[in-house]
Amino acid sequence: MDLFILSVVGIGLLIGYLNVPGEWYAGLSKPWFNPPNWIFAPVWTILYVLIAVVGWRTWYIVQRSDLKALWIAQMVLNFLWSPAFFGAQKPALGLLVILPLLAVITLFIARARMVDPVSALMFLPYAAWVAFASLLNGAIVSLN
């Protein structure tokens, strides 16, 4: 399990480090519900730990190929969002990544619910945060 946690959290933090919001992001118009910047790193760190534990459970406990494929798909989309939004400085491109991400997370929860309810429950905070982030991303697109 340690390898899953170290890998997922490490890659997530590296992508965050390589795609710092910076002045470009600071200059964007944001909605009233935009949280302070300091909240994102701790929230994502916690979420990455949950994602990693679910990945480990998917590989070593449940061992279902459909859940493995969904877990990989959400990881790929998750890791693509920061480079799309911050790296390319394209909020609309970020929206094109985050909406399928939310769909895949939701599908994972729906499929895991019957075979691994613990993983399904562990993905609920992730789904809630990505739903909020999708709303925020969409609002930034509409305001800019």
Side-chain angles (χ1 to χ4, degrees):
M1 185 182 313
D2 292 346
L3 183 59
F4 262 91
I5 292 173
L6 290 175
S7 297
V8 172
V9 174
I11 294 169
L13 293 175
L14 178 63
I15 288 172
Y17 175 77
L18 295 174
N19 295 281
V20 177
E23 289 182 35
W24 166 81
Y25 181 73
L28 292 176
S29 296
K30 296 177 200 72
W32 61 269
F33 57 88
N34 188 68
N37 288 341
W38 64 265
I39 198 85
F40 290 96
V43 166
W44 274 112
T45 302
I46 293 165
L47 291 175
Y48 282 137
V49 169
L50 291 173
I51 293 164
V53 171
V54 169
W56 180 85
R57 291 179 62 82
T58 300
W59 252 260
Y60 296 103
I61 295 175
V62 179
Q63 300 181 4
R64 292 227 350 218
S65 60
D66 60 329
L67 291 180
K68 288 178 182 179
L70 289 169
W71 190 88
I72 290 169
Q74 66 77 29
M75 272 300 26
V76 168
L77 291 166
N78 181 310
F79 289 158
L80 284 175
W81 184 83
S82 286
F85 188 97
F86 294 117
Q89 299 181 355
K90 302 229 180 268
L93 181 59
L95 194 59
L96 290 175
V97 173
I98 203 167
L99 292 176
L101 171 60
L102 181 57
V104 172
I105 294 166
T106 303
L107 186 56
F108 182 94
I109 292 168
R111 293 227 178 126
R113 192 178 59 160
M114 294 303 184
V115 294
D116 186 13
V118 171
S119 288
L121 286 172
M122 290 179 76
F123 252 31
L124 289 178
Y126 180 33
W129 183 259
V130 171
F132 172 73
S134 297
L135 181 62
L136 183 59
N137 192 155
I140 290 171
V141 168
S142 70
L143 291 171
N144 294 279

